[in-house]
Amino acid sequence: MMHPVTEALATGELPSRVWFYSNYHCNLTCNYCFTESSPSVAKRALDPEQILRIARQAADLGYTEFGVTGGEPFLLPYIVDVLKELSGIGPTIVISNGTVFGPRRFARATELAGHDVAIQISLDAAEPDLNDEMRGPENFAKVVDVIPRLVAAGVKVRVATTVEPDRLDEFQHEQLCALHRSWGITDEDHIVRPVITRGRAAEQGMGQRLEFHQFPAELTFSVDGAFWGAFGPSFTDGKLDTDLLLTRTIEPVTTPAAALHRMAGGRPQGADAALGIR
């Protein structure tokens, strides 16, 4: 008999991607970061073997894609090996700020060429001052240096632009698109999204508030448990937000996956976000 989660994945009732918060520490302190990542926070890293074990269990259930985020995943010395292994299970995206690729890390990142892995790098504006206002000094210069070199090395790269909701109409979309097109990155691989009011963005009064049902029901794992969606494992004032926490149980994957399926199935629009946490 087919597992209910497997059936929900096959019919499209549940999204097919699983997210991993590989770590929480980061070399940047972006002013809208919903995980409050920075150089001073604890690593809070998932064990690499656990990531791969969860991925295999998820694939057995019918999940077909994976996402890895942080923090800054490329601060972890083993991340390239994990990404290569993950891509053998299913197509994988890894989120990066693009500023940590010195000679050693760049050489390791080029090993991803030929693997089904895309590095999604953040770039918020075509003007250095506007970009660096959100992400920190010299961010723009480092990002526009590394992206074309990664592309030239055969690594698949996507560009992600995060914008305050009230600035979506005014930000320099055409200039930014011209820039990524010049690197050989298509419009399909350029993601534009609003700042979400969670974590540091909430503390600073930034972003767009979403109702619970507006967050994609993508199964997401961190060291703290399993969550509804990639925005779930956020931190506010140094404390984990638990409104999108499904279960403290991570393994077996069937436990949080079944909890997600129960919550997603037939959930009314605008329903209260409170969850029964185990």
Side-chain angles (χ1 to χ4, degrees):
M1 183 176 177
M2 184 180 293
H3 193 285
V5 170
T6 304
E7 186 174 356
L9 289 164
T11 62
E13 182 184 348
L14 286 178
S16 60
R17 183 165 53 195
V18 172
W19 281 97
F20 297 99
Y21 273 74
S22 60
N23 63 320
Y24 275 91
H25 66 302
C26 184
N27 60 309
L28 302 182
T29 309
C30 297
N31 58 9
Y32 57 73
C33 180
F34 59 87
T35 58
E36 293 187 334
S37 294
S38 75
S40 61
V41 303
K43 288 184 179 182
R44 302 180 60 77
L46 276 171
D47 180 85
E49 288 304 318
Q50 187 174 36
I51 291 175
L52 296 173
R53 195 166 60 242
I54 290 170
R56 294 184 186 106
Q57 292 178 41
D60 287 343
L61 268 178
Y63 285 96
T64 59
E65 304 170 72
F66 302 98
V68 178
T69 186
E72 171 50 54
F74 283 94
L75 291 178
L76 300 171
Y78 50 77
I79 197 61
V80 170
D81 295 324
V82 169
L83 293 170
K84 289 192 288 188
E85 290 280 344
L86 271 180
S87 70
I89 306 171
T92 300
I93 294 173
V94 57
I95 310 299
S96 176
N97 61 45
T99 67
V100 298
F101 294 103
R104 180 178 59 83
R105 286 199 183 102
F106 180 83
R108 291 245 47 207
T110 62
E111 296 176 25
L112 297 174
H115 292 271
D116 201 352
V117 179
I119 303 179
Q120 183 169 299
I121 296 179
S122 300
L123 184 63
D124 290 344
E127 291 294 326
D129 290 347
L130 290 176
N131 179 83
D132 294 356
E133 176 186 340
M134 299 286 276
R135 305 190 59 80
E138 299 183 16
N139 176 275
F140 181 89
K142 292 177 181 177
V143 169
V144 299
D145 170 69
V146 77
I147 289 179
R149 291 194 291 121
L150 286 169
V151 172
V155 178
K156 182 173 175 58
V157 179
R158 291 157 50 107
V159 172
T161 300
T162 306
V163 184
E164 273 278 56
D166 60 359
R167 295 177 66 178
L168 279 170
D169 291 335
E170 67 183 58
F171 98 102
Q172 297 170 312
H173 188 271
E174 283 307 314
Q175 293 94 319
L176 190 52
C177 286
L179 190 57
H180 73 68
R181 289 169 191 154
S182 73
W183 299 324
I185 297 172
T186 66
D187 292 353
E188 185 180 31
D189 285 323
H190 179 208
I191 300 92
V192 181
R193 59 196 179 190
V195 175
I196 301 300
T197 307
R198 292 179 74 83
R200 197 174 287 133
E203 296 164 24
Q204 299 196 26
M206 298 174 64
Q208 175 180 342
R209 291 192 178 275
L210 297 184
E211 298 294 329
F212 181 76
H213 66 271
Q214 294 176 284
F215 290 100
E218 294 182 314
L219 186 58
T220 300
F221 293 91
S222 80
V223 292
D224 296 299
F227 295 79
W228 176 303
F231 286 96
S234 58
F235 277 75
T236 305
D237 293 326
K239 296 181 179 179
L240 176 71
D241 298 320
T242 58
D243 57 324
L244 298 177
L245 177 62
L246 293 167
T247 67
R248 291 287 187 181
T249 301
I250 295 178
E251 296 183 75
V253 171
T254 49
T255 298
L260 177 64
H261 183 223
R262 287 194 299 271
M263 295 302 300
R267 186 171 179 81
Q269 296 289 303
D272 187 84
L275 299 178
I277 299 168
R278 291 195 299 273

